[in-house]
Amino acid sequence: MKTIQCMMEHMYWADGRILEALEESGTKDKDLLKLVRHVAVAEQVWLSRLQGKGSMQYVLWEEAANLTEIRTMFEDNAKQYRVYMEGLKESELDEMVDYTNQSGVPFQTSVRDILLQVLLHGQYHRGQINRALRLESAEPVQIDYITFARL
């Protein structure tokens, strides 16, 4: 449980670092903003499923109005995940969650695997965002777990 909690704290930190790098870059790339919004919405989708709610109200791939909107999404996500994690017991990590994906297909996945999906999905896309920043001649930001752990 401690490892997942540390990884979640890393996720909140890394989301914030990516947003700072995007703000500093001044990017207007709509595809890049769409990608970072996708990360925030995917976090919402999985949390909704963990809470036993539906997720069909979320649109995973949609243009973002601006980084301020996305920052608010990430901040809300962090608050809600922290509350969820505080109430989660280690014995519940292997409980199965029934949900329907965005295409309407039913699935059953453990809480542990859902949390790992959220963590790894975000890190994958943050790497893509950093690469896009480099292609725009902007400075990518360090988001490795070890950097976070050294703080």
Side-chain angles (χ1 to χ4, degrees), residues 102-117:
Q102 299 311 98
S103 300
V105 179
F107 286 96
Q108 191 178 61
T109 306
S110 72
V111 169
R112 180 187 317 272
D113 286 341
I114 288 173
L115 290 172
L116 290 173
Q117 167 62 23

